[in-house]
Amino acid sequence: DTVYPSVAHNLWQYYDAVGVVRDHWPTLKLYLSMLESKYKEGGIAHYFCKYGDWNPVVHTPCQVTSSASFLHDLQRMTEMATALGEQEDAEHYGGLLAKLKPEWHQAFWSANTSSYSTGTQMAQAVAIWLDIVPPDLLPALVDKLTADCAQNGVTIGFVGVRCKCSR
């Protein structure tokens, strides 16, 4: 995910520093506005990307990781807006997140392989972590990810490992 919303969110969550979030709210909103404009340019399937997972054994297309980071930022912004009492912002970010989760699934799910994107651990883990996977597909995807890890070890990088290890 992107650093700025994450740092603000973590300061609020771990140190009850809601004042930091309030002080940074206008610039956090500007940052998310820029990310939204990037979405509008190409949609989720072609979301802008420069970096992907950091130091993975198996590469995941950066559109997967970048667009997932955007969804994660929307989730955090929704939570922070709610905590600040910024109801209009919470509805905006939450509504956009609700719209984009199914779009992400549609863009990256392959019915032929029953996996996301190229089938990497990162793509599967981030879909599970962000609650994108439809309930009827979740058990099989978890089993598939578990089997991949058992057979190949951990092949995701620093960004993806958090998705894989927390839920």
Side-chain angles (χ1 to χ4, degrees):
D1 59 326
T2 52
V3 174
Y4 189 34
S6 295
V7 169
H9 187 271
N10 288 345
L11 286 169
W12 164 57
Q13 286 292 293
Y14 298 112
Y15 299 102
D16 199 28
V18 72
V20 171
V21 175
R22 178 151 314 280
D23 291 347
H24 285 265
W25 192 244
T27 51
L28 284 163
K29 286 176 56 174
L30 283 173
Y31 184 71
L32 261 288
S33 178
M34 181 276 299
L35 295 178
E36 285 182 58
S37 73
K38 296 296 185 183
Y39 162 72
K40 291 175 184 173
E41 289 174 11
I44 285 293
H46 304 287
Y47 194 73
F48 91 105
C49 63
K50 194 170 188 177
Y51 308 107
D53 199 0
W54 300 348
N55 202 28
V57 175
V58 177
H59 175 74
T60 299
C62 67
Q63 287 81 9
V64 172
T65 53
S66 290
S67 61
S69 292
F70 175 47
L71 297 183
H72 189 240
D73 288 343
L74 287 170
Q75 183 178 5
R76 288 186 165 195
M77 290 293 284
T78 302
E79 293 168 4
M80 290 187 292
T82 301
L84 293 174
E86 299 288 346
Q87 189 61 33
E88 189 174 312
D89 292 336
E91 289 173 6
H92 171 73
Y93 297 126
L96 186 55
L97 179 62
K99 172 189 166 202
L100 295 184
K101 281 184 175 185
E103 184 177 334
W104 197 96
H105 171 76
Q106 177 131 10
F108 298 115
W109 178 254
S110 170
N112 293 335
T113 62
S114 297
S115 62
Y116 288 97
S117 184
T118 56
T120 62
Q121 291 177 14
M122 172 63 181
Q124 310 332 296
V126 77
I128 293 166
W129 186 56
L130 291 173
D131 293 321
I132 292 171
V133 185
D136 60 316
L137 300 175
L138 185 59
L141 189 65
V142 169
D143 289 346
K144 188 172 191 163
L145 178 58
T146 302
D148 186 345
C149 293
Q151 181 177 353
N152 301 307
V154 176
T155 63
I156 55 182
F158 295 118
V159 174
V161 78
R162 179 182 58 183
C163 303
K164 193 169 175 179
C165 295
S166 66
R167 175 91 159 92

